[in-house]
Structures are given as structure tokens and as C-alpha cells.
Amino acid sequence: MNAHERRRSAALRADRETVLAAAARLRHEAVQAHYAGLARPEFAFGLASILELLALRVADLAPDVRAHVVRVAREMTGDGLDLPSVRRTRRR
């Protein structure tokens, strides 16, 4: 395995882990909301299942689709919010 293949493999693994973390967080928050009396956690579970399927096939996704899925997953998990390009601050 050459350096390019190792970098690609590491990037795909990181993307997969990010999407799986978003699915886990979504499920966790749905369970917590259900305990608090909110109804319909099955919608969150359905979306988490879709994220897991996308994570399993992340290498087969088109690059722009993969980038979008990972971006959404990062927003769901809070990753990347400290980046200046992502952070939104109010200026007075």
C-alpha cells in the first residue's frame, strides 16, 4: 500500500467514524428526549439507520455526496465548530 492509498484509507476511516458518531448521538438524544416525555423517537432512529448505511458505504459515495454527508455529521456532533470558517459570531 503506497502513501496515497494510506491517506485515502485514513480519510475514509475518519469519515466513517464521524458519520457513525452522528448516528450514535442522534439515537442517544432521541432516547433522552423520550425519557423527558417527548414523543416519536422513531424518526430519529430511522435517520440514524440511514446515517449508518451511508457510513458503511462511504467509500462508494460520490465525493461531493460524501463531503456533504460528513459535513452534516460534523454539524450534528459539534465537530469543527471551533474552526473560524464555520464559527458564527455576532459583531457589535
Side-chain angles (χ1 to χ4, degrees):
M1 182 180 280
N2 65 31
H4 174 72
E5 291 170 341
R6 281 192 299 273
R7 282 192 304 272
R8 177 169 163 69
S9 178
L12 290 173
R13 188 176 326 107
D15 289 351
R16 184 177 305 112
E17 290 172 2
T18 299
V19 177
L20 288 173
R25 181 171 182 163
L26 187 59
R27 277 200 177 94
H28 174 76
E29 289 178 1
V31 169
Q32 296 303 312
H34 186 68
Y35 288 150
L38 301 176
R40 312 292 305 231
E42 61 271 13
F43 293 125
F45 292 147
L47 181 55
S49 294
I50 291 170
L51 287 172
E52 288 175 340
L53 289 172
L54 289 169
L56 292 174
R57 304 297 297 213
V58 74
D60 299 330
L61 297 175
D64 57 333
V65 173
R66 186 177 101 210
H68 184 73
V69 168
V70 171
R71 187 175 329 112
V72 168
R74 284 188 179 135
E75 289 175 10
M76 292 175 69
T77 59
D79 289 350
L81 293 180
D82 291 334
L83 297 174
S85 61
V86 177
R87 186 177 351 142
R88 291 172 179 82
T89 58
R90 290 177 47 179
R91 297 177 190 234
R92 296 177 189 213

